Amino acid sequence: MLERERKELVKKNTNLNCMPTPHKRQVERKPIARPPSPTAALQTKAAADGRRKRKAHLLETGVELGPGESPSSGFVPKEPTPPKRGVRWGAPLESGNGSDAETHSPTQARLARIDGSRLAKGPVALDKFGNLEGASPPKAGTSPVVIKKVLYKGEKA
């Protein structure tokens, strides 16, 4: 396909798929001044403060926290799994979907075959764009979207 033909096809399909939709707009006014943007110095200071708090928590409790985890926000670290020598199956394994699920013991599970796969078996007919032949196009539709604009003290729309 020539470059010119490709551009014309893209333009035609773009015009077909464009559906102008009136969106609801909402202006939210806040009576406070706009907060300052975080500078590199502020981010560095906050990161150092977080590291200091996590180190203090480690020394106090022996539990190491990662970035963003704080015990004051109710974070409970996971207990490490004790090492085991082998795996014991507590329940039989299932194969299939929904009510068609069959249960098998772990030794028999590898012998079970799953039927009704979502993958196509054999060759599939595709059109020149790589879509399935005879497939219905997706339904055109819109969902309502509310666009919010936040204005702080002293700012004009």
Side-chain angles (χ1 to χ4, degrees):
M1 183 180 281
L2 296 174
E3 184 68 20
R4 178 180 46 82
E5 292 173 339
R6 188 186 63 79
K7 285 183 179 180
E8 287 176 8
L9 183 64
V10 168
K11 185 177 180 181
K12 183 184 92 174
N13 288 333
T14 302
N15 289 337
L16 275 174
N17 293 331
C18 285
M19 296 179 63
T21 305
H23 296 293
K24 293 181 181 176
R25 297 179 189 270
Q26 188 177 38
V27 176
E28 183 180 341
R29 296 186 183 275
K30 294 195 175 189
I32 58 173
R34 180 176 287 277
S37 297
T39 62
L42 287 176
Q43 291 177 356
T44 303
K45 183 179 177 185
D49 188 42
R51 283 191 296 272
R52 183 184 51 76
K53 287 180 182 177
R54 288 194 302 273
K55 187 171 184 176
H57 186 266
L58 173 64
L59 295 175
E60 181 181 322
T61 64
V63 177
E64 186 174 5
L65 300 176
E69 300 169 347
S70 70
S72 62
S73 65
F75 172 76
V76 179
K78 290 183 180 179
E79 292 293 325
T81 307
K84 295 182 181 180
R85 292 192 159 250
V87 176
R88 294 191 180 228
W89 299 96
L93 302 177
E94 295 181 359
S95 67
N97 297 327
S99 61
D100 299 334
E102 299 175 10
T103 57
H104 303 280
S105 69
T107 56
Q108 294 295 320
R110 64 184 171 87
L111 303 175
R113 304 214 33 134
I114 298 175
D115 294 329
S117 173
R118 301 248 184 243
L119 299 177
K121 294 177 180 163
V124 179
L126 301 177
D127 62 7
K128 66 179 184 178
F129 300 109
N131 299 320
L132 287 174
E133 289 273 339
S136 59
K139 294 181 180 177
T142 60
S143 57
V145 175
V146 178
I147 299 172
K148 290 187 177 182
K149 182 178 184 179
V150 179
L151 295 176
Y152 290 91
K153 184 179 179 180
E155 295 180 343
K156 295 181 183 178

